[in-house]
Amino acid sequence: MMMESDESTAVLILRGMLQQEEKCYKVHDYFRDLQSSLCCGRAATAQNPVDADAREQIVTWLFSIMDACKYPKDVVSVIMSCLDRFVATPDGQQILLDRCQYQLAALSALYTCVKIHCPEAMSPDLIAKLSHGIYTAEDVEAMERRMLGVLDFRVNPPISMDFVRIYLDTIASTSFSFDERAQNLILELAEFQTNWYVMDYDLAASSKASHVAVASLLNAIESILEYTDNGRELSQLIHDELVSRCGVDIDETSLTRLKQTLYISIPEQSIDRKSTRLN
């Protein structure tokens, strides 16, 4: 069980993450801003600007890279945070007018974030090869410098799975305890949902990572408690614990809607509820 000092440390860390989410790592609805700029003539016209579908294709491709390299899938959330924040700036917004430049920015974000968050870096030459010869290593590094300058080197965003883990640790330090198998399953089910969140632009632009974490965690816990006699009661107690200890600031209506949106991303075959135990 977590000691009081450890719990206090966790709360302080959580508060810091929430502050970062609200300030320097906040993501704006840049596609809406882009459309407004195009309609008002504040941005150059483009024949085929980047849209939510193009962004989803990039995210899907990034997940395939993580799988191929055996890297943590969490890193895709970090990459997309950097890319989303970059193209939301006045400098980066111009990249949304050119899909080739957007692909280059995605490659550079991949290059940067893998260096920082993965056990083994990818060389700029390898990154360039991923573009099938469209870009050079020098192109990748030049875009990296541009992106890092605009982002002021803020490349450690608090992502949804970070919040999931700290929420789970917090509730597990009280009267709720999960066996190791249950904890692993909860994290697996939460990851399905947070990956969905990263891929869906409308969801990413309208929901905070901390809120997605709450909804994903509750969905995961409710999934494995479904076949227990007091599952609904335990789920409500866990929800109340999150509100009181973690300071969840999402209203019930929004939380319910977010849970419903995220739940459909959980593959039914991944839930072996009957063999999972809550202590």
Side-chain angles (χ1 to χ4, degrees):
M1 180 173 292
M2 188 183 297
M3 301 296 290
E4 183 177 353
S5 59
D6 294 331
E7 184 178 345
S8 299
T9 300
V11 170
L12 290 175
I13 293 173
L14 177 58
R15 288 175 181 172
M17 291 166 60
L18 292 170
Q19 289 177 354
Q20 288 183 324
E21 179 183 52
E22 285 290 345
K23 296 179 180 179
C24 56
Y25 287 106
K26 190 172 184 178
V27 177
H28 301 283
D29 187 352
Y30 53 83
F31 282 138
R32 183 181 62 182
D33 295 342
L34 176 64
Q35 289 302 317
S36 298
S37 297
L38 290 172
C39 291
C40 297
R42 295 195 301 269
T45 58
Q47 294 295 323
N48 191 23
V50 177
D51 57 17
D53 288 339
R55 179 187 179 277
E56 182 177 331
Q57 291 173 13
I58 287 293
V59 178
T60 301
W61 176 77
L62 288 170
F63 277 125
S64 69
I65 294 296
M66 296 300 109
D67 283 338
C69 296
K70 308 299 182 184
Y71 290 156
K73 289 185 177 180
D74 290 7
V75 179
V76 174
S77 295
V78 179
I79 296 169
M80 291 310 300
S81 171
C82 292
L83 182 59
D84 286 339
R85 286 181 289 118
F86 175 49
V87 299
T89 65
D91 180 19
Q93 189 182 67
Q94 297 303 310
I95 287 175
L96 294 174
L97 303 175
D98 185 336
R99 293 195 178 206
C100 290
Q101 284 295 296
Y102 184 71
Q103 292 170 356
L104 176 58
L107 287 167
S108 296
L110 169 66
Y111 172 55
T112 300
C113 295
V114 165
K115 282 193 295 184
I116 297 170
H117 297 279
C118 293
E120 184 176 353
M122 302 173 76
S123 71
D125 290 322
L126 176 57
I127 295 291
K129 286 181 181 179
L130 293 176
S131 73
H132 301 289
I134 299 175
Y135 308 109
T136 65
E138 290 73 20
D139 292 331
V140 172
E141 293 179 316
M143 181 62 78
E144 179 192 37
R145 290 192 294 271
R146 178 180 173 186
M147 185 180 298
L148 289 175
V150 170
L151 297 180
D152 199 20
F153 288 82
R154 291 191 172 99
V155 290
N156 290 285
I159 61 174
S160 292
M161 284 304 295
D162 292 335
F163 283 109
V164 166
R165 293 185 183 96
I166 199 167
Y167 291 155
L168 184 58
D169 285 346
T170 300
I171 61 175
S173 71
T174 59
S175 56
F176 307 101
S177 62
F178 303 93
D179 61 28
E180 183 178 357
R181 187 178 185 281
Q183 290 191 45
N184 290 337
L185 180 56
I186 288 169
L187 291 173
E188 178 185 345
L189 298 179
E191 187 178 47
F192 281 122
Q193 299 169 81
T194 58
N195 288 347
W196 177 278
Y197 158 68
V198 174
M199 187 172 296
D200 188 309
Y201 173 77
D202 290 334
L203 193 58
S206 62
S207 305
K208 298 178 182 178
S210 57
H211 290 175
V212 169
V214 172
S216 299
L217 181 58
L218 288 175
N219 275 344
I221 292 173
E222 288 168 12
S223 293
I224 67 173
L225 292 179
E226 183 175 335
Y227 290 101
T228 62
D229 294 336
N230 57 345
R232 181 171 297 181
E233 178 184 350
L234 285 172
S235 175
Q236 185 60 48
L237 288 172
I238 291 170
H239 169 268
D240 294 344
E241 195 70 28
L242 285 173
V243 171
S244 62
R245 287 183 175 270
C246 300
V248 176
D249 63 347
I250 183 172
D251 63 83
E252 289 298 322
T253 300
S254 298
L255 177 59
T256 298
R257 184 167 55 248
L258 188 54
K259 286 174 63 181
Q260 291 172 344
T261 300
L262 292 167
Y263 189 81
I264 63 174
S265 67
I266 302 177
E268 182 66 26
Q269 66 271 21
S270 70
I271 306 175
D272 183 13
R273 305 181 182 94
K274 292 184 178 179
S275 59
T276 304
R277 182 168 56 87
L278 176 70
N279 295 326

